[in-house]
Amino acid sequence: MWDWLLRRLADRLGVEPARAGEAIVPHIRFEQPWPQAVTLLVVAGCAALIVWLYRREGSASLAYKLCLAALRLTLVVLTVFMLSEAVLSVERTGLPYFVIMVDDSASEQIVDQFENPRTKAAVAELAKHSSQPEPNRLAVAEGFLVQDNARLIAELQKQNKVRLYLVSGTPRLLAEVDKPEEIKAAVEKLRKVAPTGGQSKLGDGVREILTELRGVPPSAFVLFSDGQTTDGESLAKAAELAAKKGVPIYTVGLGSPEPARDLELTELLVDDVVFVDDMVRFQAKLLARGFNGQEVTIRLKERDAKSADAKEARVIESTTVTAPPDNQPKRVEIGHRPKQTGEVIYTLEIDPRPRELQTENNRIERTVNVRKEKLKVLFVDNEPRYEYRYLKNYLEREETINLSVVLLSSDQQYSEQDRSALSTFPAAKDELFGYDVVLVGDADPSFMSQSQMQNLVEFVTQKGGGILFIAGENFDPLSYKGSPLELLLPIELAEARNPTALGNALSAFRPELTVEGRGSPIFRFGDDEASSNQVWQNLPELFWLIECPRKKPAAVVLAEHPTLTGSDGKLPVMLYQFVGAGKSMLNTIDDTWRWRFRVGDRYFGRYWIQTIRFLARSKLLGQKQAELLTDRRRYQRNQPIQIRVRFPNPALAPASGEVNVQIEQKGQARTLKLKTAPGSKNIFEGALPQAPEGEYTVRLLPPPVLEGPIPTSTFRVDPPAGELERPQMNEPELLRVAQTTGGKFYTPETVQTLLKDLPKPQKVPLDTDPPIPLWNTWPVLALFLVVLTGEWLLRKRKQMV
């Protein structure tokens, strides 16, 4: 009743009505208040005195006297009221804030595999309301918030100001809903959210929001998250602050609490060009989580590149390996001898396992060009030494080789009698450029002109041809010092020497393969690396080599002497380098023919045919007039992506010093400009500072002079490592936060009860209107006079005046 009177008084005095979501609370306040004890003493004393006086005065009835006493006491109260300067104070209250926090870090893109059918059904039911492409964790949060026309937000808005935050790094206000018509806009913004946050700073997020709203603490928090904090303050620590402020946190757990399980194949390595019946090595890395020690079957599939349907791929090889411990990559390898020619798409694949974290990383594929045409090989030597004889005879019989030989010391009749022989070294550049590989034995450089040697250099550097120098005791490579051929050699001739020419005897030795050699297709004698190494270690020993203590900086050593060393370590036996568009290789030995002992051409022939094909690949790939590469196949978000375009033939490089590449992902494309690398005319480099997670394709936007297929490359951007190191839901943390703050923990199965469990919101003070004086207003003065006059008239009526 009193509140109603005060509100009526406020209305009569013209107080501004409450706005939407607000309320007004009027009350009487004294500007010059008396001490409470004095006020009570004065009123009580006056009341006692008035009663005592009226009891002694006149002959009126008791009721009449009590009425007069009441009027006199009213005058006393009104006097105190005016002396205390009474005013009407109006306080305004508003709706409290209600905070909804949604974790949008990269771990929320995980699609969990649940064993419990009820959990699986609950997740599917919520996710179907979401705009996410997959039923990931963010889809569960979004689906719950938008289901039934955003019923949760709509109900909360009636008694709260709803604030919707995204939290991964710094919390970002996504939407504020004060009115029903603002709900639709908030839902539209929520549907556009993608789980791309690089960190999960959940504790920092709660603390920052509490600090932001410190004047009016929210009535409650609802947090949708997996509970994993990857950086900053822990969620449990921030919950202590929320508990001190009386703010309960209701946590909704996203994801599975079970440890993550995942199998992943990465970094598939295979040659771009291979030959029919070659043993082709498909190497990849296997990453496992939650499968340590379990057997995993890896299958190799193939399909024609013209087929767009991956289902047409057929299994051609398989191998079973033991899954490695968590986060310890294991190299796996499958060998295959292709039979069909053309562009073939090969896929390495692992069958998905139950509850795998993700299955799209269980396969990796590459396109390989399988060829069968003959390779044109030119073999040049000075004398018909053993290496020359055995190698010439083998290559003449090999159906995939079209051999021509030049024996510099022979007479004219030799070239007429031998079907493979040429009378002289090719003088015309076009004739030389028609070969794929040139083998240079112990050839006397005096038999070749400067222009012929220069043609050999251009054959390698511009046309992408392969050249192999087979060392000899007389000329190769020591006699090439100062000639154009010195550029092609992968060694420094200044310190090279022939030990037997100095009278030093060499002991028999068996070369050791380096790490690069063990992985090279040249030394693939068996079906896998282990069997190939076994064959290599049992090959007959060798008895001579040119000592080359120093190699050129770009040279790669494939095999080395087991004991002899130089300034760069063990002396190289077989090594190669890229020179311009092609490859140049040197064998510092001349007696591989010894490998024929008791086995014929089995290993000798395999070594030479694989070496020739290795050297020929650069020229065969030269049909692609430009190469496009990225420095890695996989990146983490926020890592720069280095992109390089190389023109093997510098004449095709744009004179402008710039090329453009197009980067595509999910139908969206952007263009990146690459500029000439320092000190180069045919290499162009650029960097993409960062990119969101996903699979990307890079295409060269070719200059008009280019013909043939457009160079492309692919790469993948992964979430930051921290986001997927602990992908399981941190249920203990979410439970602890809810219990500490007086909230409650929910899963997708139980979250539908969230709304009815939330506390009833309390109005929060907003402001106080300026006080309205009452003590000096005319109604109060009139009341005082009316009471005073009324008492006087009543006293006069009873003749008490």
Side-chain angles (χ1 to χ4, degrees), residues 87-142:
V87 296
L88 179 68
S89 177
V90 178
E91 292 183 354
R92 296 182 180 273
T93 61
L95 297 177
Y97 284 110
F98 191 100
V99 174
I100 299 175
M101 298 174 61
V102 178
D103 186 350
D104 68 329
S105 62
S107 61
E108 305 312 303
Q109 68 180 275
I110 295 173
V111 179
D112 295 276
Q113 306 296 322
F114 297 95
E115 287 187 344
N116 188 324
R118 290 185 301 173
T119 304
K120 187 183 297 185
V123 167
E125 178 63 26
L126 292 173
K128 75 179 184 180
H129 301 288
S130 165
S131 62
Q132 296 294 315
E134 297 178 300
N136 55 31
R137 296 176 179 181
L138 182 59
V140 175
E142 179 190 333

Side-chain angles (χ1 to χ4, degrees), residues 232-288:
E233 184 179 25
S234 70
L235 188 55
K237 186 68 176 176
E240 295 176 5
L241 175 63
K244 289 179 181 178
K245 291 180 175 289
V247 180
I249 300 179
Y250 294 79
T251 56
V252 181
L254 305 177
S256 170
E258 298 296 325
R261 292 162 55 90
D262 191 34
L263 292 170
E264 180 180 9
L265 287 171
T266 66
E267 299 181 23
L268 176 59
L269 299 178
V270 63
D271 291 324
D272 292 326
V273 175
V274 300
F275 297 87
V276 171
D277 288 329
D278 258 2
M279 175 53 70
V280 181
R281 302 170 64 193
F282 295 84
Q283 294 179 305
K285 286 184 179 178
L286 172 64
L287 289 168

Side-chain angles (χ1 to χ4, degrees), residues 358-390:
Q358 47 188 338
T359 57
E360 66 271 13
N361 58 3
N362 286 30
R363 62 194 306 273
I364 187 170
E365 64 181 31
R366 285 281 297 276
T367 301
V368 177
N369 188 346
V370 183
R371 300 190 175 189
K372 192 176 182 179
E373 68 265 27
K374 287 188 174 184
L375 296 177
K376 292 191 66 177
V377 177
L378 176 62
F379 190 4
V380 184
D381 213 324
N382 213 56
E383 300 285 346
R385 53 183 181 154
Y386 284 122
E387 192 81 334
Y388 170 85
R389 293 176 186 176
Y390 286 114

